[in-house]
Amino acid sequence: MKTILVTGGAGFIGSNFVHLQIQQTDHTIVNLDKLTYAGNLESLAALTDNPRHQFVQGDIGDRFLVDSLLAKYQPAAIINFAAESHVDRSIHGPEDFIQTNMVGTFHLLEATRAYWQSLSESAQAAFRFLHVSTDEVYGSLTADAPAFTETHPYAPNSPYSASKAASDHLVRAYHHTYGLPTLTTNCSNNYGPYQFPEKLIPLLIMNALQGKALPIYGDGLNIRDWLYVKDHCRAIAAVLAQGRVGEVYNIGGKHEKTNLEIVHTVCAILDELVPDSAHRPHQQLITYVKDRPGHDKRYGIDARKIEQEIGWQPVETFESGIRQTVQWYLANAAWVENITSGHYQQWIQQNYEARA
């Protein structure tokens, strides 16, 4: 048994990772999350009384707090999920992204470096700092370009991706300068349970069920590679256990889809699973809205490195993953209702109504 400090573990990917670790290992998880709008303790409700899950509300930029957690729990690894992660929000308000993704990661690295240097030689050798990042740091691909590899030049095009690129560079620098045993993963678009409904797939599900417009930016032909969140979490665990120190691993689903393909797929599943819906066929709700500034055309992930070095492959196809996702949102109406607060409604109005 070992202890892992997970930052951002009440968010979408982080909460799924915490659940998977509690279910499949005997590790203790110390979960540090600031609980901003996208961090939700209801996503961790099943772990409330589990002694192997210790939740702490706080900011990765709070050096005193992080130092105290490291001293108290003596983790063998840190996994950094904590991030502002939505492109549209970064366009409206980039400062939060700079503070959390860049400055927050810096403070977390500084605390980690001090802690790691205090460990015994054997504990130092076993320790890992795994930084979870995004494929958006690589920029945009043309339709016929090869998918992103780990050596693809960084070319971020939004305040969000720029802030994540900066955090990636910091992690790399702390390995090469101080010897901190780091790992970085860059993943494609995730979907699945517990995703905050500002993101495309849960937004489509919720709006369709309520008979609201299904907003599609521009012509709807922007392409993303899609990965079921639990496959991503399994990949992170595999990289933590087997990844080579200082290396970067791309994680992808091998399912490049246009936004239009996504919305038609979601509508078809809802037509099937909710046959008495007053809004069938749900694709009639599709509404084209003004594109967002600097909208990247295509992302694609070449995941051969993690496949060949570590042996990871996604378990779910897009068809199986998206069906499970729709079923989860249909079965968890209370979670959805509680998370879609007035703050969320204000955001939807700010971002979409002006585009109609």
Side-chain angles (χ1 to χ4, degrees), residues 14 30 39 56-57 125 147 201 209 245 251 273 303 345 354:
V30 179
V56 179
Q57 183 174 355
I201 288 175
L209 291 173
V245 168
I251 305 171
L273 297 181
Q345 296 300 335

Side-chain angles (χ1 to χ4, degrees), residues 5-21:
L5 174 61
V6 172
T7 69
F12 166 44
I13 303 174
S15 62
N16 276 280
F17 180 82
V18 170
H19 279 291
L20 203 65
Q21 287 292 294

Side-chain angles (χ1 to χ4, degrees), residues 52-73:
R52 292 195 295 116
H53 178 244
Q54 302 295 320
F55 179 80
V56 179
Q57 183 174 355
D59 191 336
I60 59 171
D62 183 341
R63 178 67 187 271
F64 178 81
L65 173 61
V66 175
D67 283 344
S68 66
L69 292 176
L70 294 175
K72 178 179 180 179
Y73 292 103

Side-chain angles (χ1 to χ4, degrees), residues 191 224-226 252-257 316-319:
Y191 65 97
R224 300 293 182 263
D225 177 47
W226 292 91
K254 299 182 179 179
H255 295 292
E256 291 191 28
K257 304 282 185 183
E316 302 294 343
T317 65
F318 181 75
E319 290 71 25

Side-chain angles (χ1 to χ4, degrees), residues 225-261:
D225 177 47
W226 292 91
L227 177 68
Y228 189 58
V229 66
K230 294 183 182 180
D231 278 328
H232 184 195
C233 293
R234 284 185 278 265
I236 291 169
V239 171
L240 182 67
Q242 304 174 52
R244 289 186 290 128
V245 168
E247 291 294 313
V248 176
Y249 293 90
N250 283 353
I251 305 171
K254 299 182 179 179
H255 295 292
E256 291 191 28
K257 304 282 185 183
T258 67
N259 289 343
L260 268 181
E261 289 178 287

Side-chain angles (χ1 to χ4, degrees), residues 101-123:
N101 300 353
M102 294 172 60
V103 179
T105 300
F106 162 71
H107 287 298
L108 180 62
L109 283 165
E110 277 288 274
T112 303
R113 177 167 70 97
Y115 166 71
W116 174 72
Q117 289 175 336
S118 73
L119 298 175
S120 67
E121 188 174 337
S122 60

Side-chain angles (χ1 to χ4, degrees), residues 31-328:
N31 186 348
L32 175 63
D33 196 293
K34 192 176 179 180
L35 293 183
T36 59
Y37 72 93
N40 184 8
L41 281 180
E42 289 193 44
S43 302
L44 301 164
L47 304 177
T48 300
D49 298 319
N50 192 308
R52 292 195 295 116
H53 178 244
Q54 302 295 320
F55 179 80
V56 179
Q57 183 174 355
D59 191 336
I60 59 171
D62 183 341
R63 178 67 187 271
F64 178 81
L65 173 61
V66 175
D67 283 344
S68 66
L69 292 176
L70 294 175
K72 178 179 180 179
Y73 292 103
Q74 296 285 299
I78 297 173
I79 303 179
N80 182 32
F81 292 98
E84 295 283 348
S85 65
H86 193 237
V87 173
D88 289 320
R89 285 185 184 269
S90 80
I91 293 170
H92 288 290
E95 184 173 357
D96 288 343
F97 290 73
I98 303 304
Q99 288 299 321
T100 297
N101 300 353
M102 294 172 60
V103 179
T105 300
F106 162 71
H107 287 298
L108 180 62
L109 283 165
E110 277 288 274
T112 303
R113 177 167 70 97
Y115 166 71
W116 174 72
Q117 289 175 336
S118 73
L119 298 175
S120 67
E121 188 174 337
S122 60
Q124 284 187 357
F127 180 83
R128 296 291 183 270
F129 180 98
L130 194 157
H131 177 65
V132 180
S133 191
T134 172
D135 58 358
E136 298 193 34
V137 298
Y138 298 125
S140 184
L141 292 169
T142 59
D144 57 351
F148 299 131
T149 67
E150 289 80 358
T151 59
H152 194 95
Y154 274 34
N157 291 321
S158 70
Y160 161 60
S161 56
S163 66
K164 287 298 289 182
S167 68
D168 293 5
H169 291 320
L170 281 172
V171 172
R172 174 185 171 86
Y174 270 65
H175 170 66
H176 285 274
T177 302
Y178 304 112
L180 189 69
T182 65
L183 298 156
T184 298
T185 58
N186 295 88
C187 189
S188 57
N189 279 35
N190 277 214
Y191 65 97
Y194 303 118
Q195 188 169 30
F196 192 75
E198 66 188 356
K199 298 296 179 76
L200 177 63
I201 288 175
L203 177 70
L204 294 174
I205 296 169
M206 290 175 48
N207 279 17
L209 291 173
Q210 299 174 50
K212 296 180 179 179
L214 306 182
I216 301 298
Y217 287 153
D219 59 11
L221 299 181
N222 300 77
I223 297 170
R224 300 293 182 263
D225 177 47
W226 292 91
L227 177 68
Y228 189 58
V229 66
K230 294 183 182 180
D231 278 328
H232 184 195
C233 293
R234 284 185 278 265
I236 291 169
V239 171
L240 182 67
Q242 304 174 52
R244 289 186 290 128
V245 168
E247 291 294 313
V248 176
Y249 293 90
N250 283 353
I251 305 171
K254 299 182 179 179
H255 295 292
E256 291 191 28
K257 304 282 185 183
T258 67
N259 289 343
L260 268 181
E261 289 178 287
I262 297 298
V263 69
H264 282 291
T265 299
V266 170
C267 287
I269 295 173
L270 286 172
D271 287 350
E272 174 192 344
L273 297 181
V274 194
D276 57 347
S277 170
H279 313 298
R280 294 176 73 242
H282 293 94
Q283 67 179 18
Q284 69 180 320
L285 300 171
I286 294 174
T287 303
Y288 292 89
V289 299
K290 183 180 178 181
D291 208 352
R292 72 182 178 206
H295 198 176
D296 288 342
K297 194 65 180 177
R298 172 183 165 236
Y299 304 145
I301 282 283
D302 183 335
R304 283 179 292 178
K305 181 176 178 179
I306 189 174
E307 293 170 359
Q308 294 170 2
E309 288 193 14
I310 296 179
W312 173 86
Q313 292 269 2
V315 173
E316 302 294 343
T317 65
F318 181 75
E319 290 71 25
S320 66
I322 193 65
R323 178 170 288 272
Q324 290 180 58
T325 299
V326 175
Q327 290 172 330
W328 187 89

